[in-house]
Amino acid sequence: MIAEIAQRSWTRRGRPKRFEVCELGAGNGQLCLDALVWVETRARRAPGWARFARALTYRIVERSPGLIVQQRAQLGALAGRVVWTRAECAQRAPRGAPFAHHGFVFGNEVLDCFAPERVVAGPGGRPQATFVEATLGGAHLSRAALARAMADPRRRDRVRFREALRPVTEVRGLAPFLRRHYPEFFERGRTRPPYFACPQLEPFMRNTRRLYREADALWIDYGDTRCFHLTTPERGRFVAGPPRSNRRLYDAPGRDDLTVLVDFSVAETAAEQAGWRPVFYGQQAALARLSGVRLDARAQALIVRYRALGWMLSVVGAGPEAKWRQGALSWRREGSTGERLRDTVRRDVEEFLGRRPTPFRILLLRSA
Ligand SMILES: C[S@@+](CC[C@H](N)C(=O)[O-])C[C@H]1O[C@@H](n2cnc3c(N)ncnc32)[C@H](O)[C@@H]1O
């Protein structure tokens, strides 16, 4: 779908001779591999796609050097088709940008990666930020001591965390960010659920706008808009641990994956201020429409085969997700009769097509 949407973006721009697809935060490289294989396959049969393949440079912008190594390994022979730029886009635009005149920028589950600030409505319209104090055996731990304790399997489970509220002015840039997006936190006399603020969304949108002179950008993530973030209980707005494990924030920090649902209202406003024009925001289901891909029975059977192969490779310790998947392997889930892969895929596809509720959303932007 990503390859198809990128190819449509190239066509809309008049089929330029040079065109970059820029994947931001490519994780284990699987999506890049799939997209490139798709382009190569289509290019063998359709002259239009062959022209697209000739124009295409696939660039990965990635902040993690360890993941770049993994991506290269995952791509194998196709690594030669990819250019890597190591950059932390929430801090600055990558060196060398703009990389080309025309581009298509996208990222899956990147907007949820920023470290959020948990904001609590304070008395008299003075919002407060949440700091965390760590102790071991009752003694306060410095940052360095905390890092050592968390790296020590005998001590890490004895570390305790306690939240402490301080004025938002103690976190650089947080108060002006809140005034811009959530001024209601400065109103007196209202209690509201805590809010997870991600000020980094603003520089991120500005920096990604600098990647190409003219571009489309597609952000895929779980999240929702302002009303959801203001009214949903806190527990429904962050995810800790492996999917559906229902862990709490302080169960195993450092080992658990901790993310918050993206605030797409902030993302959209930040994008507009950075020179993007929002073209579409909505359910992930729109990806199928935007790409013209039909997830019919044949496509579903293919996904089942592909996933089964992925699991089998993981069992023997091969494949990019072997470690992650092995942690989730069991013959039968406790208290359940087990779920057949075919049913899981069917459910996922239904979620994907918007026939079941899902928190996944997409935001499509075009350079203004
Ligand atoms: C949760 S992973 C998602 C990986 C992949 N897109 C996927 O769907 O499996 C987030 C990826 O974005 C990268 N990343 C996160 N924030 C970034 C930033 N500010 N600049 C560059 N890369 C970033 C991470 O290193 C990682 O590769």
Side-chain angles (χ1 to χ4, degrees), residues 24-27 62-64 67 87-90 108-110 113-114:
L24 225 134
E62 172 61 63
R63 72 174 175 194
S64 157
L67 284 179
E88 161 54 85
C89 288
N108 183 53
E109 290 193 36
V110 175
C113 279
F114 308 128

Side-chain angles (χ1 to χ4, degrees), residues 187-199:
E187 287 164 12
R188 288 167 180 271
R190 280 284 296 272
T191 53
R192 36 183 99 251
Y195 172 67
F196 293 104
C198 284

